[in-house]
Amino acid sequence: MEAVGDSVSPPAAAGPGLSMGISASQGAGPRRRGRRYALLARLFVLLLDALAVNAAFFLAYQARYVLGLGGEVADENFVEYAEYWPLQLALVGLTLLFFHLRGLYKLARGTAWFDEVLSVAGGSLYAVGLLFAAVSLVRYPATSRLTFVYAWLLIVLLVALGRSLVRGLRALARRRGLGIARVLVVGDNSAGRMIMQSIADQPHLGYQVAGFVALEPGPEARERDGEHRAGV
């Protein structure tokens, strides 16, 4: 599950000198529960990704050597699955590493599914390409190019399906009050209402408005204050 931030971009239509922002407003208890939930969520996604990569490599081997997808494999070129097992373990490690480097375990709230899948495709391509280059360099006996191509395609497919499942589970958890970030909106009244409306319109992001603080009186309040001073 993606790691979440505690900030939301304010509307662009902000007046001069306006200071606004959104800060987390949680008690010690909710913060501890939130950190525990975030940790368990990341571990779950990590495990799901590892399972997807393992399954993808196994299916890639079956497609190439058992089903003969891409052409029949001659007897002298046949490689037992046991020869690929070390490569499968290495690919899992490399894929998770590149996923981490591409920020796939610390995604911001609101990241589009398509953008997430693009990062998955890019990270897994680096992992598969690096592994294939390494086994070709050392002349490892299991170097079927099509097997690696199929593995990459299946990794993208299975990880994307897993991430879709995570998004569904995350939405369900947030409806039950898990993974909710309470925020304090700071800024001008009108702009603050725009931010709060934006949060209300996107409940899937998991934000909950805890309150509102106006740093300066809004135009209406200043006008009323001037009327009082003038004795109106």
Side-chain angles (χ1 to χ4, degrees), residues 1-3 37 40-49 104-105 107 113 116 158-174 204:
M1 214 172 259
E2 63 191 19
Y37 168 80
L40 291 175
R42 289 181 189 176
L43 290 176
F44 176 73
V45 175
L46 192 70
L47 177 61
L48 201 61
D49 286 347
L104 278 165
Y105 299 113
L107 291 174
W113 179 84
E116 188 174 1
L158 296 182
V159 172
L161 291 175
R163 294 298 177 117
S164 298
L165 172 63
V166 167
R167 285 174 177 262
L169 292 175
R170 184 188 304 121
L172 180 61
R174 285 174 179 169
H204 62 281

Side-chain angles (χ1 to χ4, degrees), residues 45-171:
V45 175
L46 192 70
L47 177 61
L48 201 61
D49 286 347
L51 290 174
V53 176
N54 274 297
F57 199 92
F58 174 76
L59 292 175
Y61 175 87
Q62 296 295 317
R64 183 67 190 104
Y65 286 95
V66 178
L67 300 179
L69 190 61
E72 290 295 329
V73 179
D75 291 341
E76 60 272 17
N77 295 326
F78 189 86
V79 179
E80 295 291 340
Y81 180 64
E83 295 287 348
Y84 275 101
W85 179 239
L87 302 184
Q88 180 173 327
L89 293 179
L91 182 59
V92 171
L94 286 172
T95 303
L96 297 184
L97 173 62
F98 280 109
F99 281 3
H100 171 71
L101 294 177
R102 294 181 71 88
L104 278 165
Y105 299 113
K106 290 185 178 180
L107 291 174
R109 295 187 185 223
T111 300
W113 179 84
F114 184 72
D115 292 335
E116 188 174 1
V117 173
L118 283 181
S119 294
V120 167
S124 56
L125 181 60
Y126 281 123
V128 172
L130 181 59
L131 182 61
F132 181 75
V135 298
S136 299
L137 185 64
V138 301
R139 297 184 180 278
Y140 192 80
T143 56
S144 168
R145 289 188 295 272
L146 280 178
T147 301
F148 284 91
V149 172
Y150 297 155
W152 174 66
L153 294 173
L154 288 166
I155 287 172
V156 176
L157 174 62
L158 296 182
V159 172
L161 291 175
R163 294 298 177 117
S164 298
L165 172 63
V166 167
R167 285 174 177 262
L169 292 175
R170 184 188 304 121

